Amino acid sequence: MRTLQLLFRASHAALLLVLCLQLGTNTAQEDTPSRRPIIMDFQMPYVTRSTEEVTAKLTVRTELTECMVIKTYLVSSKPTDGSFNYKYSGCLCDDYPRTFYWDFQFNSTVRMAAVVDIIPQLGICPNDEAVVPIRANRFSYLRTLFVL
């Protein structure tokens, strides 16, 4: 009978130890920084002349370990023609950043936004193993191009 009482006391101590370890593990997981789904680097000149053609370069990368399908495009405050209006879709993975280029010409100052949408589309990423984040699916970067 005495051995049974020791056995039950040990199990309570073991349960308390497991509970403490579980609580410690949960708080350790919360302290890790969250990974950013989209990181954008939008480059273009700040100033140009109305006769010059400008190249905009957008580099997109992710800190997620899963791949995702992205659609990227530019939006401007003034209409323009040419490759500026094209939308690009591609697979974005953590080990393969994507770079997109647009060439255009404006006659007056314009505000432009580079936009990246994360979309659920099959057939773009290998094995259709793409994820879509729950919180944010659209990211943008706003710039102004001053035309002299």
Side-chain angles (χ1 to χ4, degrees), residues 24-90:
T25 303
N26 285 342
T27 58
Q29 289 175 351
E30 291 173 3
D31 292 340
T32 58
S34 62
R35 296 180 178 183
R36 296 178 290 178
I38 296 290
I39 301 165
M40 300 171 61
D41 180 23
F42 186 44
Q43 298 176 359
M44 68 177 208
Y46 289 104
V47 178
T48 187
R49 297 196 182 280
S50 61
T51 57
E52 294 178 352
E53 186 174 80
V54 174
T55 299
K57 175 184 172 185
L58 175 66
T59 302
V60 183
R61 60 185 181 93
T62 183
E63 292 178 342
L64 300 179
T65 55
E66 303 88 357
C67 295
M68 61 188 121
V69 178
I70 61 169
K71 181 182 356 178
T72 183
Y73 52 95
L74 295 181
V75 178
S76 70
S77 61
K78 297 180 181 177
T80 185
D81 295 328
S83 63
F84 182 81
N85 295 322
Y86 293 160
K87 295 180 180 181
Y88 298 100
S89 296

